[in-house]
Amino acid sequence: MDTPSFKEDHISQIPALQLLMKMGYKYLTPDEALAARGGRSSNVLLEGIMKEHLREANKINYKGKEFYFTDTNINTAILALRDLPIQDGYIQANIAFYDLLTLGKSLDQAVLGDKKGFTFQYIDWKHPENNVYHVTEEYSVLRTSRTDTYRPDIVLFINGIPVTIIECKSPTIKEPIHKAIEQHMRNGQEDGIRGLYQYSNLLIALAAEQAKYATTGTPLEFWSVWRESFRSKVQESDFSRELTVLKNKPLPADDRTALFTERFWSVLQYFNQLESRELAVTEQDRLLYSLCRPDRMRDLMLNYIVFDDGEKKIARYQQYAAIKDTLNRIQQTDSTGKRTGGVIWHTQGSGKSLTMVMLAEQISTVVKEPQIVMVTDRIDLDDQISDTFKKCGMRVKQANSGKNLVELLNTEKDIVITTVIHKFESAVNQTDAILTSGDLFILVDEGHRTQYGQFNIK
């Protein structure tokens, strides 16, 4: 084979597009993507695809019958997505978008003579087969208050909504990942293309053997690598084999034609020659496969993103793995209905509080009306964690005494209660009753020797 090419699109962008297409994303040429948004670079939603798909995907089930949303309501739903409150700030617009995406929008409609509110969903979280996935490249977007454009390398869409933006760099340049992240940060500036980035949930920087990810507004120092978590060497081997097989799977002829039709013939020749032997898996392949498989990307968007006091945060790989393992454990009970506890080992500054926030949110989705008690060993930590939960929109109450802790446990359901470990001794002295609920979860921050002896009440 000839000398390998280190051009950005040869070594990073085209391989990324090929892998994404093999993962289920339908490729749109830049011209097709522009046509889907009405031929306007100021519009970043693929409204042609949105209208067609969301009409079919959203059905009203009422009194045993099925109805479509009216065209007026579909237009209203798309208008709500188009007109985010950017005037209130970049992150506020992103919060509004995230709420629409995860909660849907209530629309009034008359059905069988009754006018009621029905929820319109932009993404079907429960039935993944009801969503459509697209990928395009060189996505030209008009800059704010300017006449020129910026062009992100790759954009991923769910149901015509741009949710992931990718920048690719050649590894031959100095600090390629740093340069890719800087490009994301430039694009997100006020005079950049915030019209696109206000819809983002996942941002990715690629350079073949280097890859990092973040979410909207993440500072440079908090961009992260991703490492899959495996319970065994067999699992790790299976993952590597699946990815290798997928990467070396030929694209269907129509997809291959679409990808290369607007490129020079020499580019197609180069890739034909490159693919005549088995392709090695790169670091960017691992990250794309780990984060951008449709099922994984939906999971990350729905369950592993939080807004913390004006900052948007996405889980690191170790937080994701810890929460997944914990959720698997709490959904298993013994013959008496009891669950098994466990320990999550963290280092200082690794995001323990956010791990607990994300875990608590997901416990509330798999357990009906749980009681979640967050325990720390210092008052300042208790205040901090309580504030974090409140800022993330969860219903929280601080137990201000052992007696108050007992009262809350006896009267409140579907709530997060924060307290310090020393109030447990007082709580135990306040009651002779044994708490037997199988839906009581106690999460202890910084568990160590103070949680033994008299403080370890079972």
Side-chain angles (χ1 to χ4, degrees), residues 53-89:
H53 175 74
L54 292 178
R55 173 178 171 78
E56 293 300 320
N58 278 279
K59 302 287 179 57
I60 297 171
N61 292 296
Y62 189 62
K63 293 185 177 179
K65 296 184 177 180
E66 196 172 72
F67 304 88
Y68 285 102
F69 278 96
T70 64
D71 289 342
T72 298
N73 266 338
I74 292 172
N75 289 333
T76 298
I78 292 176
L79 184 64
L81 202 60
R82 187 195 303 156
D83 293 342
L84 299 177
I86 193 68
Q87 69 278 1
D88 296 334

Side-chain angles (χ1 to χ4, degrees), residues 99-345:
D99 287 345
L100 285 172
L101 215 59
T102 55
L103 303 176
K105 181 173 177 59
S106 179
L107 298 170
D108 291 337
Q109 185 162 319
V111 179
L112 297 178
D114 298 328
K115 189 170 185 179
K116 297 175 65 68
F118 299 96
T119 300
F120 184 97
Q121 294 285 0
Y122 298 91
I123 292 178
D124 193 331
W125 303 104
K126 295 180 179 179
H127 306 95
E129 69 278 3
N130 290 339
N131 302 300
V132 293
Y133 305 87
H134 291 85
V135 58
T136 192
E137 59 181 320
E138 302 301 327
Y139 198 62
S140 183
V141 179
L142 188 67
R143 294 174 62 187
T144 304
S145 303
R146 299 282 294 260
T147 58
D148 59 327
T149 62
Y150 283 156
R151 294 187 304 172
D153 291 328
I154 299 174
V155 180
L156 305 183
F157 301 83
I158 301 181
N159 303 337
I161 304 166
V163 293
T164 298
I165 307 170
I166 302 172
E167 288 294 345
C168 304
K169 295 297 177 187
S170 169
T172 59
I173 68 173
K174 185 179 180 180
E175 298 182 323
I177 290 297
H178 187 98
K179 293 286 196 303
I181 295 172
E182 282 186 334
Q183 197 160 342
H184 276 298
M185 297 178 75
R186 179 205 67 178
N187 291 350
Q189 295 293 320
E190 287 187 18
D191 64 347
I193 50 174
R194 283 189 169 178
L196 174 63
Y197 277 70
Q198 67 182 343
Y199 294 102
S200 64
N201 275 311
L202 190 59
L203 304 179
I204 294 175
L206 301 177
E209 289 300 343
Q210 299 178 64
K212 286 189 174 184
Y213 75 102
T215 190
T216 317
T218 302
L220 173 65
E221 62 269 26
F222 294 115
W223 282 66
S224 303
V225 297
W226 183 276
R227 297 284 181 268
E228 281 293 310
S229 175
F230 303 106
R231 288 183 172 273
S232 66
K233 289 292 183 182
V234 172
Q235 278 190 347
E236 185 175 2
S237 177
D238 288 345
F239 177 89
S240 297
R241 184 171 58 253
E242 289 170 8
L243 181 50
T244 300
V245 169
L246 183 65
K247 180 166 185 176
N248 286 277
K249 177 183 176 182
L251 279 174
D254 290 347
D255 289 346
R256 192 171 183 81
T257 298
L259 181 60
F260 288 103
T261 190
E262 295 183 5
R263 290 183 159 89
F264 291 118
W265 175 249
S266 60
V267 179
L268 177 58
Q269 286 182 310
Y270 173 76
F271 275 88
N272 284 341
Q273 186 182 20
L274 189 69
E275 294 162 9
S276 64
R277 63 185 67 185
E278 183 172 281
L279 299 171
V281 170
T282 64
E283 188 61 29
Q284 78 168 37
D285 295 329
R286 294 185 187 94
L287 183 134
L288 287 173
Y289 188 63
S290 293
L291 300 186
C292 295
R293 299 195 311 271
D295 59 334
R296 176 64 65 81
M297 188 163 70
R298 288 193 315 271
D299 190 23
L300 285 168
M301 287 167 50
L302 181 63
N303 298 313
Y304 293 90
I305 286 176
V306 296
F307 290 89
D308 180 14
D309 197 23
E311 293 183 358
K312 188 177 183 182
K313 299 179 180 180
I314 189 168
R316 300 172 185 175
Y317 69 89
Q318 60 267 39
Q319 293 172 313
Y320 182 86
I323 293 168
K324 281 291 182 187
D325 285 348
T326 304
L327 289 172
N328 287 335
R329 174 167 290 195
I330 68 170
Q331 292 181 79
Q332 301 172 16
T333 57
D334 61 19
S335 58
T336 65
K338 290 184 178 180
R339 297 180 170 90
T340 303
V343 176
I344 299 173
W345 188 86

